[in-house]
Amino acid sequence: MAKPAILTVDDDPAVSRAVARDLRRQYGEDYRIVRADSGQEALDTLKELKLRGEQVAVLLADYRMPAMNGLQFLEAAMDLFPRARRVLLTAYADTDAAIQAINIVDLDHYLLKPWHPPEEKLYPVIDAMLEAWKAAPDRPSADVKIVGHRWSAPSFAVRDFLARNMISYRWYTTDDAEGQRLLTAAGLTPNDVPLVVTTEGKPLINPTEAELATHVGLTTTPTTDFYDLVVVGGGPAGLGAAVYGASEGLRTVLLEQRATGGQAGQSSRIENYLGFPDGVSGAQLTDRARRQAIKFGAELLTACRATRLDIQGNTRILHFEDGTTIASHAVILATGVSYRRLTAPGLEHLHGRGVYYGSAATEAPSCTDQDVYIVGGANSAGQAAMFFSRYARNVHLVIRAPNLNASMSQYLIDQIAAVPTITIHPCTEIAAAHGEEHLEHLELRPVDGGPSRTVPATWLFIFIGAEPRTDWLDGTVARDPRGFVLTGPDLLTGDEPPPGWHLPRDPYHLESNVPGVFAAGDVRADSVKRVASAVGEGAMAVSLVHRYLLEGQ
């Protein structure tokens, strides 16, 4: 099998030869060093490598190249080798280039020229890139194929599930020649979609998420039936708990119903998270956290929907939709929240066909040069507005409040104000949605009850409210009237212990009314709805789990 490639591109032949020489001297034994003198030549080389089925580990591109600069090349290269780590070379500290690179291509590193001595300035960077690349091996789903209708909720659901789980796929509509060939080969008609063809050539007709996960290489079954710690939910709090639990020696399994990352994983850019001064995408942060948890030995299971929690002595038993169970000493509930559904007429009918809850990144390229409407005034809506402004002709932010000051971080308010294609519609709500095959018009109405107006619209993304997914805890775990899990001092409202509590001590800060069952992140009552606080609570919950286990339960 051919060695993985490290590709470098620079229009200065002397610089190109120099970087290739330094790379070959350090990495030539295990990697093939490929160099190009222009962005187009480098792209042509990548296409040849792709057709031959070879791998590319790292891409190093000079920023200032004629015809196609380094950013344009890296952005195009992502379509061919999305796993390849990306490094931008520049002759001086060009801050604008760095920010642009981070926003466009999720740049992994920014390297100044000259890089001498390479032992100090070049090799440590490439070592880190190669370690990260090797830690996320290719999934066997690179050639998964989907055939479906353009405006179909089930087809969108399949694509969104794969995208959020970072599974590469090829998408064909029923009008595409290749899509028709795949339907014919499977003995199906355009009415039998979505069709998913796995890498092994197995056809799946409108598969469930569990079926899809099983056939595209995601882990869905545990290796054992008893753990020290079960973490329910794969958002920032759950991933933080999995990392700290596994790193501190607990047999840890994380259960996620849909895709790790949660709402934060859908964010196009998180800019107020400690340690990332230039921001980080939710997908990138999620990928790093997932790899970190796995490195420490945590199991991560996908498409696991918990339906009940039972308490049997010192054992906590989780029941799942498929009838299976997992038992453990302790449980951390980190299921987060889901966006609240709008009840305006027409929205439910058009869900997945122009109406979406959360940031449907898979749809962003289709929004090019069109108007996009976003409902919500918190950070998630603001981040989506900035993201879609890169594609859409205009972005309309619809909010019920007079302004964004009460619900959005100031840095996002400032960014939105600086983008002329983003328009804020204050004191406004969605009154109705209209369309047959897909969304065509929206009715916007003043919140004071004034007359509504109809606007043409094909895209509506909704980011409102926060509803915890905790109905499955009925009768076991105490919650507030809105469904958020009560923990610690919030449970101590009188002289009597909380229902179900039998220990002589009070519940720990993040502990529920059931000893050994903790809550972290957005699902916890009165929590701070921020990524950093969720990660912190996940780590804190693990320390409390240790205390609980040491006291003999």
Side-chain angles (χ1 to χ4, degrees):
M1 189 173 181
K3 298 178 182 178
I6 298 175
L7 184 143
T8 173
V9 52
D10 196 305
D11 65 309
D12 185 330
V15 174
S16 180
R17 286 193 296 269
V19 68
R21 178 199 62 223
D22 288 345
L23 291 173
R24 192 172 290 111
R25 185 174 63 200
Q26 181 73 3
Y27 306 104
E29 183 174 343
D30 299 315
Y31 296 87
R32 187 154 66 93
I33 309 304
V34 181
R35 70 180 184 91
D37 296 328
S38 70
Q40 189 57 56
E41 180 185 343
L43 272 183
D44 292 341
T45 300
L46 289 180
K47 291 176 182 177
E48 292 180 11
L49 295 174
K50 187 72 173 179
L51 290 174
R52 294 202 298 263
E54 297 186 24
Q55 295 179 309
V56 176
V58 178
L59 300 167
L60 298 94
D62 181 47
Y63 173 57
R64 297 192 176 277
M65 295 187 295
M68 178 186 293
N69 66 33
L71 296 185
Q72 293 168 330
F73 162 71
L74 290 174
E75 187 173 17
M78 287 176 67
D79 294 332
L80 295 170
F81 293 94
R83 283 185 56 251
R85 299 292 152 170
R86 296 170 287 277
V87 180
L88 188 70
L89 300 173
T90 186
Y92 55 90
D94 188 337
T95 304
D96 291 339
I99 294 174
Q100 188 180 6
I102 291 166
N103 287 335
I104 294 175
V105 298
D106 272 343
L107 193 68
D108 291 297
H109 201 86
Y110 188 71
L111 186 64
L112 297 180
K113 297 187 295 185
W115 55 85
H116 297 293
E119 290 77 10
E120 296 180 10
K121 297 184 177 180
L122 178 64
Y123 297 154
V125 172
I126 303 303
D127 286 343
M129 298 299 100
L130 292 174
E131 286 180 13
W133 179 78
K134 288 186 289 187
D138 277 330
R139 297 183 185 275
S141 54
D143 292 321
V144 169
K145 302 176 181 66
I146 307 172
V147 183
H149 296 305
R150 174 66 189 87
W151 297 107
S152 161
S155 296
F156 165 75
V158 168
R159 290 186 290 129
D160 189 56
F161 178 83
L162 293 180
R164 291 184 60 185
N165 282 287
M166 300 182 184
I167 303 296
S168 300
Y169 65 86
R170 296 185 182 184
W171 160 250
Y172 305 97
T173 70
T174 54
D175 296 326
D176 294 331
E178 181 64 14
Q180 293 171 3
R181 284 192 287 268
L182 289 170
L183 287 173
T184 300
L188 303 175
T189 71
N191 295 323
D192 301 319
V193 294
L195 165 68
V196 177
V197 181
T198 69
T199 52
E200 294 81 16
K202 179 178 178 60
L204 306 173
I205 305 170
N206 195 15
T208 65
E209 290 183 349
E211 292 171 335
L212 199 54
T214 299
H215 286 90
V216 298
L218 297 173
T219 303
T220 59
T221 57
T223 59
T224 185
D225 57 3
F226 196 93
Y227 293 84
D228 294 321
L229 172 63
V230 173
V231 181
V232 187
L239 287 168
V243 168
Y244 282 94
S247 67
E248 294 178 15
L250 297 177
R251 290 173 298 169
T252 302
V253 60
L254 182 147
L255 314 172
E256 171 53 43
Q257 180 175 335
R258 201 151 190 273
T260 50
Q263 287 187 9
Q266 294 179 276
S267 175
S268 57
R269 183 63 45 188
I270 302 169
E271 298 189 67
N272 58 352
Y273 187 65
L274 185 67
F276 292 88
D278 297 311
V280 61
S281 73
Q284 189 178 37
L285 186 63
T286 297
D287 178 55
R288 293 178 178 183
R290 182 196 295 113
R291 288 191 280 113
Q292 196 172 12
I294 292 172
K295 181 186 77 171
F296 286 123
E299 293 181 38
L300 272 61
L301 308 184
T302 307
C304 293
R305 181 175 178 270
T307 58
R308 193 170 85 248
L309 173 63
D310 283 344
I311 310 301
Q312 295 184 6
N314 291 331
T315 301
R316 283 81 187 99
I317 302 174
L318 283 155
H319 296 256
F320 301 102
E321 198 171 34
D322 62 358
T324 61
T325 61
I326 288 181
S328 66
H329 291 304
V331 172
I332 294 178
L333 303 172
T335 50
V337 295
S338 58
Y339 292 115
R340 183 165 55 83
R341 294 291 181 117
L342 278 179
T343 57
L347 289 177
E348 192 62 32
H349 168 67
L350 295 168
H351 181 221
R353 297 186 290 143
V355 176
Y356 306 94
Y357 289 86
S359 182
T362 53
E363 302 301 305
S366 300
C367 299
T368 301
D369 297 328
Q370 299 183 44
D371 281 18
V372 167
Y373 282 80
I374 295 174
V375 180
N379 279 11
S380 54
Q383 291 159 353
M386 292 299 298
F387 173 67
F388 283 107
S389 69
R390 291 164 39 192
Y391 299 87
R393 177 176 56 212
N394 294 293
V395 175
H396 301 269
L397 193 56
V398 180
I399 60 174
R400 293 179 55 86
N403 54 56
L404 298 169
N405 296 340
S407 55
M408 189 177 293
S409 296
Q410 188 61 46
Y411 80 91
L412 270 174
I413 296 175
D414 294 340
Q415 288 182 0
I416 289 172
V419 180
T421 57
I422 299 179
T423 302
I424 300 174
H425 300 270
C427 303
T428 305
E429 63 184 2
I430 303 296
H434 303 281
E436 294 299 326
E437 183 181 355
H438 59 84
L439 176 65
E440 298 174 2
H441 296 90
L442 288 172
E443 288 185 33
L444 305 182
R445 178 176 59 201
V447 294
D448 61 9
S452 62
R453 59 189 176 93
T454 300
V455 295
T458 309
W459 306 97
L460 175 65
F461 300 90
I462 301 168
F463 300 82
I464 61 167
E467 295 183 337
R469 299 172 289 182
T470 58
D471 291 346
W472 60 282
L473 296 171
D474 281 349
T476 305
V477 175
R479 296 167 293 149
D480 69 10
R482 294 186 298 162
F484 291 93
V485 177
L486 295 169
T487 60
D490 292 337
L491 291 164
L492 306 175
T493 57
D495 296 332
E496 296 296 321
W501 190 261
H502 62 270
L503 298 181
R505 63 168 176 83
D506 290 338
Y508 294 134
H509 181 64
L510 300 180
E511 195 169 20
S512 73
N513 65 305
V514 179
V517 176
F518 300 81
D522 291 359
V523 74
R524 191 177 65 83
D526 297 325
S527 64
V528 179
K529 304 298 188 285
R530 289 291 185 267
V531 173
S533 62
V535 173
E537 287 194 4
M540 185 191 304
V542 170
S543 69
L544 297 177
V545 167
H546 275 289
R547 190 184 304 180
Y548 166 76
L549 295 175
L550 287 173
E551 72 181 10
Q553 308 169 39

